[in-house]
Amino acid sequence: MKKCMGAMPVLLLALLIVQCCRAQDAKGKPVIKKEEREKASSYKGYEEDEIIIAFKEGEYQVSKARIKAELARSGINRVDIRQCGNCGSYVELWKAKDIHNVIHSEGVGGGAAGSSKDVGEDTIAYYSRNFISKLPVEYVPVLPWESGHFRAETSFRPIDGAGRDTIVIAVLDTGIDTVQFQLAHFLWTNKAERPVLSDRDVSCYPGDIRGWNFVDKNANIRDDNKGRHGSLVSGYIAEAFSTAQFSRNFVQIMTLKTHDKDGNGDLFDCICAIHYAKEMKARIINASWGFYYYDTIPHPYLTKLITEVLPEAGILFIAAAGNEMRDVDEKARLDRKVPADSLRDLGHHKFYPACLSGDANSVITVTTTDGSSVSPAQNYSARYVDLGVKADRVRGRRMEFLGPFIFYPAGEQEYVRGSSFAAAIATGQIGAFLPRTVDNAQGNTKGKVMQALMDIPGIVTKEPPLADKNYIRGGKFIKHKQP
């Protein structure tokens, strides 16, 4: 009996060693379990039985009839059509059984089996599968929000906007907690609308006093996400305007709910929200979300909308670089043959809309840095990533930001991490310091904005290694807490 008891620790140790060996391959990389492999294989990244159609200039009804005729040839005779608002539309969501399989490079219709594409275009419209959009978050604490633990920091300086340029920032996210978010003076108000459902401003969105809920198609912009992601993003933006010593501007946050309580959204709702922000004269759009995209050609309509239409309207578009997503990453590695060591490189694994950043457009893509590298869990690219935000705390591979005015009952502050929060911090600081002399509709918008920031002492830091290692364009980053 003693011999058996003495052998037990050895046996347990042997079992642990075997388990560890099973968890890694010969190169020390994790071995994917069967159920995880199956989950990755089943992940499609888009909504089945749906496509987005964005009409080009021309006779709308004629174009619509032509598309229906093409679909009928493919056996699709009945289609449910949804528009962004209640009035006609520039973009529509068409729903029908298997309609997601009728897109081809030259439009919609029949084709060889398995030849359907993610996007297409012809003379009358742009076509796209309705991609699922996710929030690039690594960690957000789940607090007892209803108990009042989310509150404005008392040290925030009140700003009345007098003598300042008002910057309207559209936040496309999970909404905002209007109960706990106590800085109401930072919230945008649609002055042309009444607090009823009459749609006085004829914007096709009845009762849109503070913004619009594109998920539920109503004016309720309440943040029901368990981590209050949209509220945190808005909090970071408000914090920058309130605490920046040399802030030139006053902010109004236009809340556009595009993602549900689980942090999931779709491309159609995001496109509708972008159009809404444009129509309501937002100056900056914060996009702390995105989707991985694998078609060989750039997404035609999203590219046109963000890199051509928005700059013409004088709107900056600030996007999160994206994070690791296990099911998506494994599908990319297994099905798309993306090398494991290139999954975070936007040049190899494209995350939209972050990859729409270019030298001369108005897209600014943001990631998290410690000043010499980027977060191992976040995307990078000296071609696509324009700016880093330096983490407040680094613990191992975790680069974290101090939460905006979050306090536990005992006064302990919480940290969060994710490129979505880096983008929010950058949005707030860019908006706070954006000079009136920058005309987004003229010339190299991004270059003017970045130069305006660099002209302010102590705002932007440049570290050449960040560029040399293909992390961030020009090695530029800002700090979360500015003087």
Side-chain angles (χ1 to χ4, degrees):
M1 183 66 180
K2 289 182 178 178
K3 289 183 179 180
C4 292
M5 292 297 292
M8 286 298 291
V10 176
L11 179 60
L12 289 173
L13 179 60
L15 288 172
L16 286 172
I17 292 173
V18 169
Q19 290 300 317
C20 290
C21 290
R22 286 178 178 174
Q24 296 181 341
D25 61 17
K27 295 182 179 180
K29 295 180 179 179
V31 173
I32 307 304
K33 295 180 180 178
K34 180 180 178 181
E35 56 269 25
E36 292 176 344
R37 187 182 296 273
E38 290 175 349
K39 181 180 178 182
S41 179
S42 65
Y43 180 79
K44 296 185 181 302
Y46 57 83
E47 300 287 357
E48 293 186 333
D49 304 329
E50 298 180 359
I51 64 171
I52 300 170
I53 300 180
F55 292 91
K56 297 182 178 180
E57 293 183 3
E59 181 55 47
Y60 168 70
Q61 293 299 340
V62 173
S63 298
K64 199 169 183 176
R66 283 179 55 187
I67 295 172
K68 285 186 174 181
E70 288 295 332
L71 292 177
R73 294 188 186 98
S74 301
I76 299 175
N77 297 297
R78 181 175 179 178
V79 180
D80 293 326
I81 299 175
R82 201 184 100 200
Q83 298 176 328
C84 289
N86 296 332
C87 310
S89 189
Y90 27 75
V91 60
E92 296 178 344
L93 184 69
W94 288 33
K95 298 184 177 184
K97 180 66 175 175
D98 294 327
I99 196 172
H100 62 280
N101 288 325
V102 302
I103 299 176
H104 301 279
S105 21
E106 296 183 357
V108 294
S115 64
S116 58
K117 300 276 189 181
D118 286 331
V119 295
E121 178 184 0
D122 58 21
T123 58
I124 59 177
Y126 301 97
Y127 309 91
S128 171
R129 284 174 170 163
N130 192 15
F131 292 98
I132 296 171
S133 169
K134 300 215 176 250
L135 306 174
V137 178
E138 294 172 58
Y139 172 74
V140 176
V142 178
L143 302 180
W145 302 95
E146 285 71 21
S147 300
H149 295 306
F150 183 75
R151 61 184 178 82
E153 186 174 355
T154 56
S155 63
F156 270 24
R157 294 181 294 107
I159 299 177
D160 61 10
R164 297 173 181 265
D165 189 15
T166 297
I167 304 294
V168 176
I169 298 178
V171 176
L172 282 58
D173 216 286
T174 61
I176 194 165
D177 191 327
T178 52
V179 175
Q180 305 293 343
F181 193 83
Q182 298 176 13
L183 302 177
H185 58 286
F186 282 121
L187 299 181
W188 171 79
T189 299
N190 180 6
K191 297 180 180 179
E193 188 63 283
R194 290 177 179 174
V196 292
L197 301 179
S198 62
D199 196 26
R200 179 188 179 192
D201 61 347
V202 197
S203 65
C204 311
Y205 301 95
D208 57 333
I209 302 295
R210 297 288 195 183
W212 189 254
N213 181 337
F214 289 90
V215 176
D216 299 318
K217 319 301 178 293
N218 58 41
N220 180 7
I221 58 172
R222 184 179 68 87
D223 188 354
D224 55 358
N225 176 253
K226 63 181 180 180
R228 297 299 196 272
H229 186 273
S231 300
L232 293 177
V233 165
S234 295
Y236 276 120
I237 293 171
E239 176 186 63
F241 277 82
S242 182
T243 60
Q245 182 177 352
F246 303 110
S247 173
R248 298 183 172 101
N249 306 315
F250 175 69
V251 66
Q252 289 190 325
I253 296 173
M254 179 190 295
T255 303
L256 304 180
K257 184 175 173 63
T258 53
H259 291 68
D260 64 18
K261 62 184 178 62
D262 297 317
N264 295 320
D266 62 49
L267 181 58
F268 177 71
D269 285 341
C270 292
I271 286 175
C272 290
I274 291 171
H275 277 284
Y276 181 98
K278 173 180 175 292
E279 292 169 3
M280 294 298 178
K281 310 300 183 185
R283 192 163 177 191
I284 298 175
I285 292 175
N286 179 88
S288 288
W289 47 265
F291 60 93
Y292 284 95
Y293 175 82
Y294 300 101
D295 205 290
T296 54
I297 63 172
H299 193 287
Y301 184 66
L302 199 61
T303 300
K304 179 179 177 62
L305 176 61
I306 293 176
T307 67
E308 296 179 28
V309 176
L310 294 186
E312 289 175 0
I315 300 173
L316 273 174
F317 191 90
I318 302 179
N323 285 38
E324 61 183 3
M325 298 178 184
R326 190 176 181 91
D327 51 351
V328 179
D329 287 350
E330 290 311 316
K331 186 175 183 66
R333 190 167 70 84
L334 297 172
D335 297 350
R336 305 287 180 173
K337 308 305 179 185
V338 178
D341 58 359
S342 297
L343 288 170
R344 302 281 63 81
D345 185 347
L346 289 175
H348 292 274
H349 197 198
K350 296 189 181 298
F351 187 74
Y352 271 63
C355 279
L356 294 178
S357 171
D359 289 333
N361 63 28
S362 63
V363 181
I364 296 177
T365 297
V366 188
T367 194
T368 304
T369 181
D370 61 2
S372 60
S373 63
V374 296
S375 168
Q378 297 179 29
N379 296 337
Y380 63 86
S381 170
R383 176 181 177 184
Y384 296 115
V385 177
D386 304 284
L387 190 65
V389 179
K390 190 172 183 179
D392 296 318
R393 183 173 76 177
V394 179
R395 296 193 303 171
R397 71 193 302 267
R398 300 173 179 175
M399 298 185 187
E400 303 176 328
F401 299 113
L402 181 64
F405 49 81
I406 296 179
F407 291 84
Y408 279 122
E412 181 183 351
Q413 294 172 309
E414 185 57 81
Y415 287 80
V416 299
R417 57 184 183 270
S419 64
S420 60
F421 301 123
I425 293 168
T427 296
Q429 292 195 23
I430 288 171
F433 297 111
L434 188 68
R436 298 182 184 184
T437 54
V438 173
D439 184 351
N440 297 352
Q442 300 293 328
N444 185 346
T445 305
K446 182 186 306 184
K448 289 181 179 180
V449 170
M450 297 305 296
Q451 187 58 52
L453 289 179
M454 294 184 71
D455 287 343
I456 303 173
I459 299 299
V460 178
T461 301
K462 292 183 69 174
E463 287 292 343
L466 286 172
D468 297 339
K469 296 176 184 177
N470 188 38
Y471 289 150
I472 300 172
R473 186 197 308 260
K476 296 184 289 292
F477 67 88
I478 59 177
K479 296 178 181 178
H480 172 202
K481 301 288 188 178
Q482 295 288 5

